[in-house]
Amino acid sequence: METTSPLLQPSNIKQLAESLEFRSIPCNYIHSTNNSSESSATDPHDSNLIPIVDFSLLTSHDPHQRSTAIHHLTKACQDWGFFMVVNHGIPENLMKAVIDSTHEFFNLPEEEKLEYAGKHVLDPIRFGTSFNASKENVFFWRDYLKVFVHPHFHSPTKPQGYRDSMAEYSEKIRKVARKLLAGISESLGLEESFLDKALNLESGLQIFVGNYYPPCPQPELTMGMPPHSDHGLLTLLIQNQVGGLEVQHQGKWINVNALPNSILVNTGDHLEIFSNGKYKSNVHRAVVNNKETRISIVTPHGPSLETVVRPASPLVDKDSSPAAYIPTKYRDYLELQQSNILDGKSCLERVKIPK
């Protein structure tokens, strides 16, 4: 078998993966994984170390239970920037419905999906491939659907029922995110509502991202998504029964084995900025396999687009803890990150104040 197939410009990865002529991947999908930062994930048992936050304790009226949950949130944000949420109250059948409907969307005829081939990062509905195919020399084994669902709700018209399940899921997951952020606000020593009000979460941006990672004949040579951190405050993720998410922890890659019906959560760049670096945004990546299609539903939650994000004033002290980040409008940051090539935390580095 050949090592590579010819150089190809991507239309979408689904078509490429289903093409019978491809028993090996085109050379412009091959990523070097020889350096230490890109090395394969460690012992699968490391996944058992990932923090778990019990949402029912966080929303409990029992002060001790809530205090326990906030302690777990504090440790998770400080040590990992990543955790699993259990007992969140979102019905399992709704989570399955939105995953199945997303899979159906990617199975629509190409001309119907291409109606949503947006050009700008702030287009309310965008279907595309890789991350930013106009800028990349090497592409990723991924198709995506990105939909702005708050403060204004948008949705594709097909498949049937997608709009309803997307709307219901987005509303419920947003409530979970805001409760988590209220707990995180407290964990930083602030009032429960401080973060919510400071960053105008009532009008906060929420994006629904459906990711499609088909089987790849040479998964060890390519990536679903490269190592990167997310814009925004928190990103919440669910997936079908196919794994592929890996998170960076203490210089190692940890393969995430999600608990049944759990929500996976990672901290974003704007939580790092808001906390003045106390909580770091998490670096993560997606790997692919040669057997099964992976579907993930990712929902980043951020401030309102017009909010200027800066370190929270109570967390800044000019002597002991000076502001470490330049105040930046969320819209500008999002456009900067989404219009360029994903490269770790390179976008966040641009707004750091040199020490």
Side-chain angles (χ1 to χ4, degrees), residues 15 51 82 111 159-160 210 212 222 258:
Q15 282 186 317
F82 185 85
E111 61 272 15
Q160 186 175 4
Y212 180 92
T222 191

Side-chain angles (χ1 to χ4, degrees), residues 3-268:
T3 303
T4 63
S5 294
L7 191 76
L8 286 180
Q9 284 295 114
S11 52
N12 67 69
I13 203 66
K14 185 174 187 293
Q15 282 186 317
L16 178 62
E18 292 175 352
S19 174
L20 293 179
E21 66 182 286
F22 290 109
R23 294 180 177 85
S24 55
I25 66 174
C27 56
N28 50 342
Y29 283 84
I30 294 177
H31 293 257
S32 171
T33 58
N34 294 327
N35 63 66
S36 59
S37 66
E38 297 297 310
S39 59
S40 59
T42 56
D43 188 330
H45 293 296
D46 285 342
S47 185
N48 298 330
L49 303 174
I50 292 173
I52 296 172
V53 172
D54 188 330
F55 191 75
S56 67
L57 299 184
L58 185 65
T59 54
S60 171
H61 296 297
D62 182 322
H64 176 70
Q65 290 187 340
R66 180 170 167 76
S67 176
T68 298
I70 290 174
H71 173 71
H72 291 161
L73 267 178
T74 305
K75 292 289 291 177
C77 291
Q78 283 181 337
D79 298 345
W80 283 75
F82 185 85
F83 52 94
M84 297 189 210
V85 176
V86 298
N87 298 325
H88 45 73
I90 299 179
E92 190 171 1
N93 61 352
L94 175 60
M95 295 166 70
K96 184 177 186 304
V98 81
I99 290 170
D100 290 347
S101 294
T102 299
H103 203 165
E104 287 179 42
F105 173 85
F106 287 109
N107 284 331
L108 290 173
E110 294 308 307
E111 61 272 15
E112 294 185 15
K113 291 185 290 188
L114 289 174
E115 292 176 18
Y116 302 109
K119 301 299 182 185
H120 191 271
V121 297
L122 294 180
D123 286 345
I125 306 178
R126 278 196 301 146
F127 165 72
T129 193
S130 192
F131 175 73
N132 188 346
S134 66
K135 297 272 187 180
E136 293 158 348
N137 295 317
V138 181
F139 305 119
F140 303 108
W141 202 261
R142 169 232 196 190
D143 290 335
Y144 64 80
L145 170 68
K146 297 183 179 181
V147 185
F148 285 19
V149 291
H150 193 266
H152 304 291
F153 179 77
H154 302 270
S155 171
T157 57
K158 295 180 180 179
Q160 186 175 4
Y162 197 18
R163 180 182 181 88
D164 292 341
S165 61
M166 186 185 292
E168 183 180 359
Y169 175 77
S170 297
E171 181 181 1
K172 290 184 183 300
I173 202 81
R174 185 165 62 253
K175 288 179 180 177
V176 171
R178 287 183 75 175
K179 285 287 187 183
L180 290 171
L181 287 167
I184 287 172
S185 187
E186 281 193 61
S187 78
L188 289 166
L190 307 170
E191 293 290 333
E192 179 182 353
S193 61
F194 187 98
L195 185 153
D196 196 294
K197 291 177 180 177
L199 300 180
N200 193 15
L201 295 193
E202 189 64 36
S203 299
L205 180 67
Q206 180 189 10
I207 309 175
F208 177 104
V209 184
N211 292 313
Y212 180 92
Y213 304 100
C216 176
Q218 296 174 298
E220 71 283 357
L221 296 181
T222 191
M223 297 289 297
M225 283 289 280
H228 67 282
S229 61
D230 294 341
H231 64 82
L233 298 162
L234 292 179
T235 299
L236 282 68
L237 179 150
I238 62 173
Q239 60 189 9
N240 60 358
Q241 301 304 307
V242 182
L245 177 65
E246 295 182 352
V247 298
Q248 204 170 63
H249 177 63
Q250 296 180 349
K252 299 191 298 184
W253 285 109
I254 309 296
N255 181 52
V256 178
N257 294 316
L259 294 172
N261 202 34
S262 65
I263 298 171
L264 306 177
V265 182
N266 65 265
T267 53

